[in-house]
Amino acid sequence: MSAPADRTFDAIVLGAGPAGLNAALALGGATRRVLLLDGGPPRNARAEEAHGVFTRDGIVPVRLKDIGLRDLGRYDVTVLDTPAREIRAIGDDFHVRHEHTWSVAPRLLFATGVQDILPRIPGLRERWGHTVHHCPYCDGWPNRDAPLGILGRHQEGHHLALTVRAWTDHVVLFTDGPDELSDEQREDLRRVGVPVVDTPILRVSGQDSVTLHFRGGERHTLDALFLNPAQRQNSLLPELLGCAMNDKGRVVVNEHGMTSVRGVWAAGDMTGAPQYVMSAASTGLIAGISLNTTLIHAAVRNLGAAFTKSDDEAGDTQPVNVQ
């Protein structure tokens, strides 16, 4: 099946979060003609500050994206405010439809991220990024020494409660029903002074604090609530293209960001990398450099030459091997 190509690029990057922006930056700096498809606001768009970001600690996440887009201005990087709608692999190229236009490139880099799936508790989503958070490394410092709650069960709730205690001694684990903890986990929490409340939560309210309303009329007010939400891929395109997925629904990549599909890379949260801004940006850089390396090697081979590899050097064009 053929598709018309309105524009041709060296690489198409899908997603303009930290991973996609840094990949496009690396590729643009390598003199590549790049198309960056911006699929919309970053996952942390509702967060008020991003912490742990080198030279930009405390920056508003949307502002960080604006800076990243501005940095691309000197390079041959075309940025379009639209996601990819369809991808067709035709020969050695990938044809990507965005709105009513097709663009083609021999290399793709996915940085489309994940979506957070919050528990269905009324009022929780409205406070996401303000008084309800995911990452203590991002939002622990503004809430240090404050009364904090953990929403979660079994191992995830146990682990997050023990972790958040590093920022405050005032931590309560709320399980919204049966805690699903082992006896050993309950004893762990008792030893470090974390009470467990298993009463079902009816709703969440509050402006600059968060109040949990329980069945029976009880209330508990905290400065903030932390939880580990379930997640799903923000785009179905990697899987539809044939990229291998692991049992957690993440795109499988090797250490260079290569997927199981030749010519396709992935970076950032969608691969299961640590979900921090700097980690996502780092994987984008690594994947971008790897992608560009394959273009360099291909160009050299077309001229009848080749790089001489050392014995311990990995192949430059081999995608991840999925057993």
Side-chain angles (χ1 to χ4, degrees), residues 42-61:
R43 176 176 163 232
N44 59 355
R46 297 188 63 174
E48 296 172 352
E49 296 182 344
H51 291 276
V53 182
F54 181 60
T55 77
R56 293 291 188 273
D57 189 57
I59 191 172
V60 177

Side-chain angles (χ1 to χ4, degrees), residues 1 211 225:
M1 181 182 297
T211 299
L225 186 68

Side-chain angles (χ1 to χ4, degrees), residues 1-12 14 35 37 83-99 101-108 110 237 241 262-264:
M1 181 182 297
S2 62
D6 296 302
R7 287 176 293 184
T8 302
F9 298 87
D10 296 312
I12 299 176
L14 300 91
L35 173 62
L37 298 178
R85 304 296 184 183
E86 181 182 356
I87 299 175
R88 299 178 185 176
I90 303 174
D92 293 330
D93 292 323
F94 298 96
H95 293 242
V96 179
R97 181 173 67 85
H98 41 93
E99 298 304 334
T101 301
W102 288 89
S103 295
V104 63
R107 304 287 190 272
L108 293 183
F110 283 105
L237 290 175
L241 195 60
R262 186 177 295 276
V264 180

Side-chain angles (χ1 to χ4, degrees), residues 93-249:
D93 292 323
F94 298 96
H95 293 242
V96 179
R97 181 173 67 85
H98 41 93
E99 298 304 334
H100 302 293
T101 301
W102 288 89
S103 295
V104 63
R107 304 287 190 272
L108 293 183
L109 195 155
F110 283 105
T112 45
V114 295
Q115 295 178 8
D116 294 306
I117 306 172
L118 300 183
R120 294 183 178 179
I121 299 175
L124 194 67
R125 178 165 294 280
E126 290 80 355
R127 288 154 184 84
W128 184 240
H130 179 53
T131 54
V132 180
H133 308 291
H134 165 53
C135 172
Y137 287 95
C138 299
D139 296 291
W141 172 258
N143 294 288
R144 62 195 183 280
D145 301 324
L148 303 179
I150 306 300
L151 178 59
R153 300 177 182 176
H154 47 78
Q155 182 175 338
E156 287 188 356
H158 170 263
H159 179 80
L160 187 57
L162 294 179
T163 299
V164 170
R165 275 198 72 260
W167 282 264
T168 178
D169 292 330
H170 313 290
V171 177
V172 181
L173 175 61
F174 299 94
T175 61
D176 188 31
D179 59 38
E180 301 177 15
L181 297 167
S182 67
D183 291 339
E184 183 179 2
Q185 289 170 336
R186 293 190 191 93
E187 181 61 18
D188 284 342
L189 295 170
R190 186 195 66 78
R191 287 173 178 169
V192 299
V194 175
V196 179
V197 177
D198 62 5
T199 308
I201 301 170
L202 293 181
R203 63 186 179 92
V204 177
S205 67
Q207 295 297 322
D208 295 325
S209 61
V210 56
T211 299
L212 307 183
H213 300 257
F214 300 97
R215 187 177 300 170
E218 299 90 349
R219 298 182 180 184
H220 198 123
T221 298
L222 308 147
D223 277 29
L225 186 68
F226 286 81
L227 70 152
N228 278 328
Q231 296 176 336
R232 63 175 171 239
Q233 289 289 328
N234 201 38
S235 172
L236 295 176
L237 290 175
E239 188 170 10
L240 291 174
L241 195 60
C243 295
M245 314 291 286
N246 65 19
D247 58 0
K248 294 184 178 180

